[in-house]
Amino acid sequence: MSAVRGLTPGRQPPDAGLAAESLTNGARHRYVWGKDATEEDLMSAYAAGDEQAFTRLFAMLAPSVHRFFLRSFRDPSLSDELLQTTFFRVHRGRASYAVGLPLRPWLFTIAAHVRHDELRRRLRLREDAGEEALAAAEEAHARDDARDAEHAVAEGDVAASVRAALDDLPESQRVVIQLHRFESLTFAQIAGVLGTSEVAVRGRAFRAYAQLRKRLSPLLERGAR
């Protein structure tokens, strides 16, 4: 698929307005977009056949999706591969996007399935293992060594402290923080993305934020003085 292959997040299409046309149940629909087009406008145009709209969409969304995988796996090369896999699935499933609905929950649901497949492979779980089974297995394998985070806090490096504290969370909690804090998804939307309950998502968030507060409290206390 030429619209995906070879694209990079920095590539930008022309700013001139573009149009795409499609036929649905005999009715003609025309999608026009320009410099101020929303993600939803661009996805609607792409679903209708406008590959230039996809180029713009990829440039807007690829950095967020790449960060999503980098937070989970901390491997830039793997994150690149999973990013491409996600957008190939976006291409294949573009007709299933419901025009007018927020795009990011739909997109991150696809990315979460890609993440799930990779985690299941790494943890050697059965193909029918669900999100909660995956979370339980992952938390059982989580690192209990907090030396990197403690060292960063001791040195007073705020940015490094936050990164280290986030990295030290179980991945099943880290993904919730990524989607909630950095992608601005609600807990209900995250539950839909991950295929689990809102109660489970809120529980993971509660444990994650509690752990972050505990880990970063020396910095907070130092800043209050």
Side-chain angles (χ1 to χ4, degrees):
M1 179 185 58
S2 61
V4 174
R5 190 177 299 114
L7 284 180
T8 60
R11 180 176 172 183
Q12 295 289 342
D15 287 334
L18 298 170
E21 296 182 355
S22 68
L23 289 174
T24 306
N25 297 327
R28 186 175 296 275
H29 300 277
R30 185 173 179 84
Y31 300 99
V32 182
W33 59 272
K35 288 189 297 184
D36 298 325
T38 66
E39 297 166 358
E40 289 75 18
D41 293 334
L42 293 167
M43 187 63 207
S44 297
Y46 177 56
D50 186 345
E51 291 196 356
Q52 287 182 289
F54 178 82
T55 303
R56 176 79 171 271
L57 191 68
F58 185 88
M60 292 171 68
L61 295 174
S64 292
V65 177
H66 191 268
R67 283 194 299 271
F68 173 77
F69 290 123
L70 197 57
R71 290 278 184 193
S72 287
F73 300 108
R74 289 165 283 184
D75 182 335
S77 296
L78 177 61
S79 298
D80 288 342
E81 293 176 13
L82 299 180
L83 171 69
Q84 292 294 324
T85 299
T86 298
F87 276 94
F88 274 113
R89 293 189 185 184
V90 167
H91 172 72
R92 288 201 305 266
R94 63 195 183 282
S96 68
Y97 169 66
V99 174
L101 291 182
L103 176 62
R104 287 190 179 235
W106 182 82
L107 172 67
F108 278 104
T109 297
I110 295 173
H113 282 299
V114 174
R115 162 191 164 272
H116 188 115
D117 290 344
E118 177 63 21
L119 284 171
R120 189 173 56 197
R121 183 189 67 78
R122 288 179 171 223
L123 295 172
R124 297 191 177 100
L125 297 180
R126 292 170 40 169
E127 289 189 7
D128 60 353
E131 174 67 21
E132 289 310 302
L134 187 152
E138 193 277 329
E139 289 190 28
H141 287 76
R143 295 181 299 118
D144 57 5
D145 183 356
R147 285 176 299 177
D148 288 343
E150 291 171 355
H151 176 74
V153 170
E155 292 296 316
D157 186 334
V158 177
S161 297
V162 173
R163 284 195 301 272
L166 283 169
D167 285 348
D168 202 51
L169 291 173
E171 198 282 330
S172 57
Q173 294 176 17
R174 196 162 59 242
V175 69
V176 171
I177 299 302
Q178 168 72 13
L179 292 173
H180 182 241
R181 190 72 176 175
F182 300 102
E183 301 303 334
S184 301
L185 270 63
T186 66
F187 289 129
Q189 288 173 328
I190 295 170
V193 164
L194 297 179
T196 188
S197 69
E198 185 174 350
V199 171
V201 167
R202 286 182 179 275
R204 291 191 212 173
F206 177 82
R207 293 192 297 275
Y209 283 125
Q211 180 67 16
L212 290 174
R213 282 193 297 271
K214 178 181 178 182
R215 192 66 56 79
L216 298 173
S217 60
L219 275 181
L220 298 175
E221 292 170 0
R222 191 176 305 155
R225 291 172 188 166

